[in-house]
Amino acid sequence: MPSATRVPRGPALPRWPRLAAAILPVAATALVGSLATRPEIPGWYAGLAKPAFNPPNAAFPIAWATLDVLIALSLWRLLGARPRTGPSRQGWRLALAAFAAQLALNAAWTPTFFAAHAVGAGLAVVAALLAMVLWTIRLTWRFDRPAAWLLVPYAAWVGFATLLNAAILRLN
């Protein structure tokens, strides 16, 4: 049987390149967030009116560190889901593109909200991020259900962040 018509077996990428491909974009996104918030937490952000349900500042790095591990694990699993030929391969590529898009929106929110002090634009970015995370879960489900489930806490947190961002906008 010609190799072009064989159903692939095993992961799409070998273990170590797949691990790097899963960790590096998530770590880069986390680094952008960390750099954008560091000078702003005690300054501008501290002066904003916040709703009663606003968590303490110490909760955010703990939550994000946990979510970053889950996001990287999800991407690692998705990269290991060997696509079949034809439409499945295109669907897998679409799932990876959605994953990349939600990571880009994740990286964009923190500089938009904190560095630019653009609470309204931040709300638009985080709402788009929530939609993209949910779409990523939907697309990933076809190829690796545990990978999709690993993104559910992320979607919940981004939903909470959207509500928090909207409340901060309303109060300020």
Side-chain angles (χ1 to χ4, degrees), residues 115-144:
H117 303 175
V119 179
L123 180 58
V125 173
V126 77
L129 172 58
L130 177 58
M132 189 56 69
V133 171
L134 292 171
W135 192 46
T136 302
I137 291 169
R138 181 180 179 275
L139 293 171
T140 300
W141 186 262
R142 280 181 58 194
F143 301 100
D144 190 303

Side-chain angles (χ1 to χ4, degrees), residues 70-92:
L70 296 175
I71 294 164
L73 281 171
S74 175
L75 182 53
W76 180 77
R77 288 192 60 92
L78 181 60
L79 288 168
R82 186 68 170 165
R84 295 188 175 103
T85 58
S88 290
R89 185 173 178 187
Q90 292 168 347
W92 181 73

Side-chain angles (χ1 to χ4, degrees), residues 22-97:
I23 291 173
L24 292 176
V26 176
T29 299
L31 180 63
V32 168
S34 177
L35 293 174
T37 57
R38 200 165 301 241
E40 296 302 327
I41 294 295
W44 169 80
Y45 182 73
L48 291 175
K50 294 175 212 58
F53 62 86
N54 188 68
N57 290 341
F60 291 97
I62 294 166
W64 276 111
T66 303
L67 293 171
D68 287 339
V69 169
L70 296 175
I71 294 164
L73 281 171
S74 175
L75 182 53
W76 180 77
R77 288 192 60 92
L78 181 60
L79 288 168
R82 186 68 170 165
R84 295 188 175 103
T85 58
S88 290
R89 185 173 178 187
Q90 292 168 347
W92 181 73
R93 286 182 176 168
L94 183 60
L96 289 175

